[in-house]
Amino acid sequence: RQHRKQVIVATHFLESMIENPFPTRAESADIFSVVLQKPDALMLSWETAMWDFPFRSLKTMNTIITEAERVIDCNYTEYSDEWLTNRDIEKKILIKTAIHAWEELWIDYLILLTKTGRLAQLASLYRPKANVFAFTGNKYSMYSMNILFWIIPKKLASWEPENYSWNMDNAIKELIDSKIVTKNDRIIAINDVQRGDKEIPTMSILNIRDFLWN
């Protein structure tokens, strides 16, 4: 993580569930312990590839992960600037500021608007405990963000690279229509504003009630 590498932990987490409907206590403890170390993903193998209880194994894994995530200590550890461009470093600092503002101001959600998924990658490395929605107009960027820690990727049906207001309106409308946010929620939005071939990272604190449509 210090060198911006995605981490997947893949061992025989629930090997006993190849033939049994429930995991052992040791297997449950192993999964719980690994989640506390905050990798990007955990992976099952034989348990879901074949044998008797593939869906039960997946549900069991998800249940343990969800419980472990409730007690994760998120201290937003710094990571290396090595190989980052100056623009990436600016985005990184903006993300760190947004995370601290989310904590200090009791903000409900973080929203990222990203064309390539780069903002989401940089945000994920801080292991934020906030609810982070990453909107993009590119389906391949959305696919690549699926593995990122605590990032919920979403594709906007209508995306205009140089129209920040349009993209933000559509992102918030989707959250409202999905009943994810309410009129009393506040969000922090981070966006790469496109100006020709230049990207300008920005941060805003927004009230959802200002985006409600009659």
Side-chain angles (χ1 to χ4, degrees):
R1 189 176 62 80
Q2 282 293 327
H3 296 281
R4 305 185 314 284
K5 302 295 185 182
Q6 291 174 356
V7 178
I8 302 173
V9 181
T11 66
H12 303 290
F13 276 122
L14 296 173
E15 190 167 9
S16 71
M17 291 191 71
I18 290 174
E19 298 178 342
N20 299 300
F22 301 102
T24 66
R25 185 177 300 175
E27 287 171 339
S28 299
D30 282 346
I31 295 171
F32 199 96
S33 176
V34 168
V35 173
L36 297 185
Q37 296 178 55
K38 295 177 280 191
D40 288 283
L42 278 64
M43 190 172 78
L44 295 171
S45 47
W46 275 26
E47 303 95 327
T48 53
M50 54 192 300
W51 307 105
D52 297 330
F53 302 102
F55 295 106
R56 187 184 287 266
S57 296
L58 187 61
K59 185 176 180 180
T60 298
M61 172 76 91
N62 184 66
T63 299
I64 298 170
I65 289 173
T66 300
E67 288 302 313
E69 285 180 341
R70 298 181 193 276
V71 296
I72 283 181
D73 178 22
C74 291
N75 52 11
Y76 315 123
T77 306
E78 274 292 346
Y79 56 91
S80 172
D81 288 342
E82 186 179 11
W83 306 114
L84 289 180
T85 65
N86 288 335
R87 181 63 79 195
D88 284 340
I89 293 172
E90 291 174 359
K91 294 176 184 178
K92 175 185 169 183
I93 293 172
L94 201 62
I95 290 164
K96 181 166 64 172
T97 302
I99 290 171
H100 286 294
W102 166 78
E103 280 194 324
E104 292 290 328
L105 299 175
W106 296 84
I107 299 294
D108 299 286
Y109 302 95
L110 296 182
I111 290 181
L112 310 176
L113 297 182
T114 174
K115 180 181 178 182
T116 64
R118 186 63 168 165
L119 266 178
Q121 293 170 6
L122 295 171
S124 176
L125 287 166
Y126 275 117
R127 299 300 192 249
K129 201 169 184 178
N131 295 302
V132 184
F133 293 93
F135 287 89
T136 182
N138 187 313
K139 65 179 181 181
Y140 298 108
S141 297
M142 182 186 70
Y143 297 156
S144 70
M145 290 188 288
N146 267 317
I147 197 174
L148 297 176
F149 185 97
W150 234 300
I151 301 295
I152 305 169
K154 289 183 174 291
K155 182 181 179 299
L156 285 180
S158 179
W159 177 276
E160 296 188 7
E162 297 194 24
N163 192 334
Y164 164 80
S165 296
W166 174 269
N167 295 334
M168 181 58 65
D169 279 1
N170 279 291
I172 293 177
K173 187 175 189 303
E174 180 168 327
L175 293 178
I176 292 172
D177 291 346
S178 302
K179 301 188 185 303
I180 294 173
V181 300
T182 70
K183 65 180 182 179
N184 295 318
D185 289 336
R186 289 186 300 165
I187 64 171
I188 292 179
I190 303 177
N191 180 56
D192 283 334
V193 176
Q194 199 79 24
R195 291 287 185 268
D197 60 346
K198 304 294 184 182
E199 289 182 345
I200 306 171
T202 65
M203 184 181 84
S204 309
I205 300 176
L206 307 170
N207 295 307
I208 292 297
R209 64 173 64 252
D210 296 333
F211 288 83
L212 291 175
W213 292 265
N214 296 322

